[in-house]
Amino acid sequence: QVQLVESGGGVVQAGGSLTLSCETSGLTFSDYAMAWFRQSPGKKREFVALISYNEVTIEYGWFVKGRFTISRDDVKQTLFLQMNSLEPEDPAVYFCSAGSFPQASEDQYDYWGQGTQVTVSS
């Protein structure tokens, strides 16, 4: 079965850094566009970052402002999100997803992980 498992969430100080990982199995990882979304209580899920299967297309949500870097390792079948300069507005559950096309719309993605919590203290 297809499985996406996020890890790396936790509590960080404002201005700190955190790296999220998404380990995948059950799919041909190198053929999929991958993305990160996030969701806070009472808010809809929002786009964070995406990367195409060949790494030609990389996009970030408007709020990222150069602070995050998305990357992938096809050998390890793992997606990463390096998060720097975290702000009090960034806490949320961050979800990993896989889909056919690299677009910043959640309905483009067919598979989702369970999410990992990111909390920013001030």
Side-chain angles (χ1 to χ4, degrees):
Q1 80 284 15
V2 174
Q3 190 166 233
L4 282 65
V5 181
E6 302 96 334
S7 62
V11 180
V12 297
Q13 288 278 123
S17 298
L18 202 62
T19 299
L20 306 183
S21 299
C22 172
E23 184 174 340
T24 70
S25 61
L27 79 170
T28 306
F29 179 81
S30 61
D31 289 344
Y32 280 84
M34 302 294 297
W36 291 97
F37 291 80
R38 71 181 188 182
Q39 188 168 29
S40 299
K43 300 180 65 178
K44 67 180 300 184
R45 192 169 298 180
E46 63 180 343
F47 169 71
V48 178
L50 65 81
I51 184 168
S52 62
Y53 80 98
N54 59 4
E55 304 184 30
V56 171
T57 301
I58 297 177
E59 298 179 4
Y60 297 96
W62 67 269
F63 60 85
V64 171
K65 295 175 289 186
R67 300 176 299 140
F68 300 172
T69 301
I70 188 171
S71 62
R72 63 191 297 158
D73 186 327
D74 287 353
V75 174
K76 298 179 179 179
Q77 300 186 120
T78 302
L79 178 73
F80 301 96
L81 183 68
Q82 173 64 231
M83 309 168 69
N84 301 318
S85 302
L86 286 162
E87 301 173 354
E89 297 78 16
D90 292 325
V93 177
Y94 284 70
F95 297 90
C96 171
S97 59
S100 299
F101 298 95
Q103 298 180 25
S105 178
E106 60 182 293
D107 59 6
Q108 180 62 54
Y109 298 90
D110 301 313
Y111 306 107
W112 295 81
Q114 295 299 307
T116 184
Q117 177 72 51
V118 172
T119 301
V120 181
S121 63
S122 59

